[in-house]
């Protein structure tokens, strides 16, 4: 049997391949990072972090590089593959992320935080840092979480319902400006046609998900899986009978939550309170 031909010898891991291509293209043109920054009009430190794998950068910077290098769509495509690559997530979450990417509808309940799909950059960084991440690992996980938000964009985006405990809205970020941005983001997302946002007020009393955050995914084959998470562990649940039990509990929570219009008003009132606090 003939030996397999290695065409490029470059990395097959999306994030590493993206960084390699950035370094290769700059090297072929004999440019320093400072030269590149002057030509493209971006910060040299940003390009340095992108080439070293510390960050993937944003789509605007990648599009600018594609235009400069004359590689229309190449770097953007590699960037999209790197952002969507499930290996960037911690191993215990990877199967869930693969399923989430193919879901046609999602249902969520949040105990103490909004779901990653609805978090701003600042909120994602604060939440992950609170979990002990720092340095390069923190930045990579922030980017991974931010990249998931694209799931809700576009004409074929899945429908998404998120029920947030009032505790989510009563636990602000340390920076008031960043917290206002997060509340504003929730309001904006609630106005999207594929997103339904509800608030479960404290006055609703005890319920079956009081200490458990949940996400349900309905897949293309009509199968539904669930992901349950508490303070100490998370679990992907695929057994139909268990999923069904959790769904019934979720339905009861949904029925107790404020309707979407009232929920939006609730968040706007919270936003007004934060704005007033900041101006006094």
């Amino acid at each position: 049997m003939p030996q397999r031909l290695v065409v490029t010898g470059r990395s097959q891991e999306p994030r590493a391949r993206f960084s390699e291509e950035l370094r290769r293209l700059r090297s072929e043109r004999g440019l320093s990072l400072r030269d590149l920054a002057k030509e493209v009009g971006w910060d040299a430190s940003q390009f340095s972090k992108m080439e070293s794998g510390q960050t993937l950068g944003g789509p605007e910077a990648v599009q600018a590089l594609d235009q400069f290098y004359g590689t229309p769509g190449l770097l953007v495509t590699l960037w999209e593959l790197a952002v969507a690559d499930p290996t960037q997530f911690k191993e215990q979450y990877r199967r869930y992320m693969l399923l989430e990417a193919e879901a046609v509808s999602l249902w969520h309940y949040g105990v103490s935080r909004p779901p990653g799909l609805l978090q701003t950059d600042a909120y994602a960084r604060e939440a992950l840092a609170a979990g002990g991440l720092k340095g390069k690992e923190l930045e990579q996980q922030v980017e991974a979480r931010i990249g998931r938000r694209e799931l809700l964009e576009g004409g074929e985006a899945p429908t998404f319902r998120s029920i947030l405990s009032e505790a989510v809205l009563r636990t602000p970020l340390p920076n008031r400006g960043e917290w206002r941005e997060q509340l504003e983001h929730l309001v904006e997302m609630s106005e999207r046609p594929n997103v339904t946002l509800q608030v479960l007020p404290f006055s609703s009393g005890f319920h079956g998900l009081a200490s458990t955050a949940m996400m349900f995914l309905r897949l293309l084959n009509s199968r539904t899986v669930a992901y349950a998470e508490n303070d100490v562990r998370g679990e992907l649940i695929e057994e139909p009978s268990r999923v069904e039990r959790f769904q019934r509990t979720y339905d009861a929570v949904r029925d107790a939550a404020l309707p979407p219009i009232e929920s939006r008003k609730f968040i706007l009132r919270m936003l007004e309170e934060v704005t007033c606090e900041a101006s006094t």
Side-chain angles (χ1 to χ4, degrees), residues 73-204:
L74 171 64
L75 294 177
V76 169
T77 298
L78 291 174
W79 177 84
E80 289 176 340
L81 291 172
V83 168
D85 179 24
T87 62
Q88 66 189 306
F89 297 101
K90 292 186 175 181
E91 187 172 354
Q92 64 266 36
Y93 300 127
R94 290 177 188 172
R95 175 161 170 73
Y96 168 81
M97 295 304 171
L98 289 170
L99 294 172
E100 183 184 80
E102 67 177 63
V104 295
S105 59
L106 308 90
W107 307 274
H108 166 264
Y109 171 68
V111 174
S112 59
R113 294 175 180 172
L117 293 171
L118 299 182
Q119 291 178 10
T120 61
D121 297 13
Y123 194 102
R125 178 170 285 101
E126 190 71 30
L128 290 165
L133 296 183
K134 56 185 178 181
K136 182 177 180 180
E137 184 181 12
L138 172 61
E139 294 306 314
Q140 289 182 351
Q141 291 302 310
V142 168
E143 282 192 349
R145 181 167 294 185
I146 291 170
R148 290 171 58 203
R149 296 193 306 228
E150 294 188 2
L151 181 72
L152 299 180
E153 299 176 358
E156 298 183 359
T159 57
F160 179 50
R161 177 187 297 273
S162 179
I163 303 172
L164 302 179
S165 166
E166 184 175 339
V168 174
L169 306 173
R170 298 287 182 185
T171 310
L173 293 173
N175 183 296
R176 287 293 179 181
E178 293 176 347
W179 180 233
R180 285 197 303 273
E181 290 177 1
Q182 176 62 65
L183 293 175
E184 290 168 349
H185 183 63
L186 290 175
V187 173
E188 291 170 4
M189 291 299 293
S190 73
E191 296 170 349
R192 291 194 178 190
N194 63 314
V195 176
T196 301
L197 186 60
Q198 294 181 257
V199 174
L200 183 72
F202 290 143
S203 59
S204 63

Side-chain angles (χ1 to χ4, degrees), residues 12 21 25-26 30 56 65 68 87 130 147 228 248-249 264 268:
Q12 301 301 301
E21 289 300 319
L25 289 167
R26 182 173 61 82
L56 293 174
L65 289 171
F68 173 72
T87 62
R248 288 198 295 269
T249 304
R264 188 179 299 115
L268 287 171

